[in-house]
Amino acid sequence: MVDLPINMRRMLVLIGILALVFIVLEFNRRLEELNMLNRQNQMIQTQATQAIQTQFALQTQVAYAGSTAAVEQWARTDGHYIKDGDLPVVPVGQPGDAPVEASTPTPFPTKVPNWKVWWDLFFAE
């Protein structure tokens, strides 16, 4: 058997290199975690900004809905009300005119193959 001399300096260098490798690996893991947390932070900030913008838009809509301009717009369009001084116009047909009837399109017959006609004759209920 050969006795290998254990050199303390070599052992310390080897232990130092191993410690350095573990430190670098741990540093790399922490950097990856930092990058992941930064991405999550960006995403949450974007969502928060969108929520705030939605809140401002809804507050604006609520403020407009409570205003007199919104009430007047609804009254004129959906409520069919008029203001004092307006002249309402109601279209009326001339006396003796025939009423306008909506024409319904006539359906076109579809061509049915002969075998289908015979099949239906014999086997249809």
Side-chain angles (χ1 to χ4, degrees):
M1 257 210 228
V2 179
D3 279 329
L4 294 175
I6 298 177
N7 192 349
M8 271 314 234
R9 184 181 289 174
R10 284 186 186 171
M11 286 297 278
L12 289 176
V13 169
L14 184 63
I15 291 172
I17 289 174
L18 285 175
L20 185 62
V21 166
F22 285 123
I23 290 171
V24 168
L25 289 175
E26 179 66 20
F27 183 69
N28 188 31
R29 186 191 63 79
R30 288 183 182 196
L31 281 177
E32 286 298 319
E33 186 177 358
L34 177 67
N35 288 336
M36 181 190 65
L37 291 174
N38 282 336
R39 286 191 302 269
Q40 287 178 353
N41 186 24
Q42 287 283 335
M43 185 178 65
I44 290 172
Q45 283 180 350
T46 303
Q47 290 174 351
T49 302
Q50 289 173 351
I52 289 172
Q53 289 174 348
T54 303
Q55 180 185 9
F56 287 149
L58 291 174
Q59 286 175 345
T60 304
Q61 287 179 357
V62 167
Y64 176 71
S67 69
T68 57
V71 172
E72 185 175 332
Q73 179 186 2
W74 176 87
R76 287 181 171 271
T77 57
D78 296 334
H80 303 293
Y81 293 109
I82 59 171
K83 282 177 81 172
D84 291 338
D86 285 349
L87 298 174
V89 177
V90 178
V92 178
Q94 295 292 329
D97 285 347
V100 178
E101 295 179 15
S103 64
T104 58
T106 58
F108 293 104
T110 57
K111 179 83 172 139
V112 180
N114 286 337
W115 70 270
K116 180 92 167 126
V117 172
W118 285 100
W119 183 270
D120 289 341
L121 281 173
F122 288 113
F123 300 111
E125 289 182 13

